């Protein structure tokens, strides 16, 4: 959809307003006293400039209220000097002038003030000069412009909303496609890793027809745990953490690496710091079970490491003993050198 430039619309509104002012000036001889009409013309010119200014967030509330008030004042000033029983011709320029102001307010989003101003013009004109007289002085045309502005702005708003929804749907589709591509890439990478790591062991199992020695069974368990780390540990795993976890398992420690996806946004330096600290903690751990888990996303902690051991025999406390408790912060500012 091609939209009109704002400067074109402003110029069009200014041209209409200038036309109404010109009509008012040319018919200054019709009113009983030209003074109130001149005041109305000046007031109309000023409020037109104000309402057409390029307000950043649309026409402010106070400008809309001021425009409505000026429209009422212009109508009262002009009609106070006209004879309702005479043919006034273009001296009733105020009707189309007020219609222009209300049209501008309607286009610029102040619909309540536009409707209120239009209703005032209709009701006042009916009281002042009756139904036929209102039609003769151009009230129907003013109302038609405001109604047309409402229909057009509503249609444009619906079109804009539909366009926004379409753009949002396209973005969602792109995100979904990117996520699917990432899942496929991740799945291929995991399968390649599993084939590379577990492939030799699986071939040995097949060749041995499942009859493995204790050492081979232990090695198979270590391979299984390593694959589980890569799947469930994700961002918690690098080469050093992987080797540290395997060494800990060889010492008899049950190691669990659980990534909840809350450190994916860490910078590379911070991530490397966190993984280095995890590897050091696993390497120095002396416990039965070690749980490494990412902390909640809004926490200042990136990873918590807990080491648990079964209570000593004869202990009254059935809960596990906490041997290790470590919280690795999400961010650490670099030290300043003097």
């Amino acid at each position: 959809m091609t939209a009109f430039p704002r400067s074109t619309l402003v110029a069009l509104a200014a041209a209409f307003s200038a036309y109404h002012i010109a009509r008012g000036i040319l018919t200054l001889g019709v009113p009983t006293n030209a003074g109130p009409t001149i005041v109305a013309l000046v007031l109309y010119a000023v409020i037109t400039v104000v309402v057409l200014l390029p307000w950043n967030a649309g026409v402010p509330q106070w400008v809309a209220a001021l425009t409505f008030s000026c429209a009422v004042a212009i109508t009262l000033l002009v009609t106070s000097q006209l004879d309702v029983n005479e043919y006034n011709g273009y001296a009733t320029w105020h009707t189309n002038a007020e219609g222009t102001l209300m049209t501008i307010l309607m286009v610029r989003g102040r619909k309540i003030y536009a409707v209120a101003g239009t209703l005032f013009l209709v009701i006042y004109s009916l009281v002042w000069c009756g139904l036929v007289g209102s039609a003769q002085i151009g009230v129907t045309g003013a109302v038609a412009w405001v109604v047309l502005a409402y229909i057009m702005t509503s249609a444009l708003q619906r079109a804009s909303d539909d366009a926004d929804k379409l753009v949002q749907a396209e973005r969602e589709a792109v995100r979904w496609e990117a996520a699917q591509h990432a899942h496929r890439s991740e799945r291929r990478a995991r399968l390649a890793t599993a084939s590379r790591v577990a492939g030799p062991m699986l071939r040995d199992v097949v060749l041995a027809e499942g009859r493995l020695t204790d050492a081979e069974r232990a090695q198979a368990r270590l391979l299984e745990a390593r694959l589980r780390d890569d799947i469930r540990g994700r961002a918690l795993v690098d080469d050093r953490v992987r080797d540290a976890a395997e060494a800990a398992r060889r010492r008899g420690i049950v190691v669990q690496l659980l990534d909840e996806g809350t450190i994916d946004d860490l910078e590379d330096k911070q991530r490397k710091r966190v993984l280095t600290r995890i590897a050091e903690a696993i390497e120095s751990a002396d416990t039965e079970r070690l749980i490494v888990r990412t902390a909640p996303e809004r926490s200042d902690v990136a990873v918590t490491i807990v080491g648990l051991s079964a209570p000593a025999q004869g202990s009254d406390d059935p809960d596990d003993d906490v041997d290790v408790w470590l919280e690795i912060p999400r961010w650490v500012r670099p030290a300043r050198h003097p």
Side-chain angles (χ1 to χ4, degrees):
M1 178 186 300
T2 302
F4 288 103
R6 184 185 181 280
S7 57
T8 302
L9 297 177
V10 171
L12 188 62
F16 270 103
S17 300
Y19 171 68
H20 301 322
I21 293 174
R23 284 178 57 182
I25 294 174
L26 293 175
T27 56
L28 283 177
V30 176
T32 304
N33 183 359
T37 301
I38 294 173
V39 172
L41 287 168
V42 173
L43 186 61
Y44 176 65
V46 172
I47 196 60
T48 299
V49 172
V50 172
V51 78
L52 288 177
L53 287 176
W55 302 99
N56 291 331
V59 175
Q61 188 92 0
W62 67 269
V63 172
L66 181 62
T67 303
F68 169 77
S69 302
C70 288
V72 172
I74 290 169
T75 300
L76 296 177
L77 286 170
V78 172
T79 56
S80 68
Q81 303 304 314
L82 297 177
D83 187 352
V84 70
N85 297 316
E86 299 289 336
Y87 175 71
N88 294 296
Y90 289 140
T92 55
W93 58 271
H94 68 281
T95 54
N96 289 326
E98 184 171 347
T100 300
L101 287 176
M102 296 306 106
T103 300
I104 295 172
L105 286 182
M106 181 66 72
V107 171
R108 305 203 68 182
R110 293 299 179 181
K111 297 180 180 180
I112 294 178
Y113 289 97
V115 171
T118 305
L119 287 176
F120 166 79
L121 177 63
V122 171
I123 295 172
Y124 180 84
S125 299
L126 289 174
V127 173
W128 182 62
C129 61
L131 180 61
V132 176
S134 297
Q136 291 176 344
I137 64 175
V139 173
T140 53
V143 173
W145 275 107
V146 176
V147 172
L148 181 62
Y150 171 77
I151 294 173
M152 291 183 63
T153 53
S154 298
L156 290 174
Q157 185 61 48
R158 284 194 297 271
S160 177
D161 292 342
D162 291 341
D164 290 341
K165 291 178 181 178
L166 179 60
V167 170
Q168 186 63 28
E170 290 177 349
R171 289 175 180 171
E172 292 295 334
V174 170
R175 279 197 289 265
W176 180 86
E177 185 177 358
Q180 293 301 312
H181 179 72
H183 290 326
R184 288 193 295 269
S185 299
E186 182 73 10
R187 184 164 57 249
R188 285 195 296 267
R190 296 299 181 192
L191 289 174
T193 301
S195 178
R196 185 181 67 255
V197 173
M201 174 59 70
L202 292 175
R203 284 194 298 270
D204 292 341
V205 172
V206 172
L207 292 174
E209 297 181 351
R211 296 187 292 271
L212 302 178
T213 64
D214 293 340
E216 289 172 335
R217 291 180 185 277
Q219 183 63 26
R221 293 191 184 95
L222 290 175
L223 287 176
E224 179 192 6
R226 181 172 179 173
L227 292 174
R228 190 184 304 115
D229 289 343
D230 289 338
I231 295 172
R232 301 181 64 184
R234 291 196 326 109
L236 294 174
V237 178
D238 63 3
D239 291 339
R240 184 176 175 183
V241 171
R242 192 179 290 110
D243 293 341
E246 183 174 341
R249 291 182 177 113
R250 292 184 184 278
R251 299 197 305 270
I253 301 175
V254 177
V255 181
Q256 290 180 300
L257 302 177
L258 305 173
D259 176 19
E260 306 293 343
T262 57
I263 63 171
D264 292 342
D265 59 341
L266 285 183
E267 298 176 358
D268 291 340
K269 290 183 178 179
Q270 299 293 342
R271 185 190 300 274
K272 184 176 180 181
R273 171 187 58 82
V274 171
L275 294 180
T276 299
R277 190 68 187 92
I278 292 173
E280 292 173 350
I282 296 175
E283 289 168 352
S284 61
D286 183 13
T287 186
E288 294 181 3
R289 186 155 53 100
L290 194 65
I291 303 173
V292 182
R293 184 191 298 270
T294 55
E297 188 172 6
R298 299 184 181 276
S299 173
D300 293 333
V301 176
V303 175
T304 58
I305 301 177
V306 180
L308 303 173
S309 296
Q313 246 179 348
S315 174
D316 295 333
D317 189 358
D319 296 331
D320 292 340
D321 295 330
V322 178
D323 302 322
V324 179
W325 175 263
L326 177 63
E327 292 182 337
I328 303 175
R330 185 177 294 272
W331 303 99
V332 173
R333 294 182 180 178
R336 293 184 178 179
H337 299 286

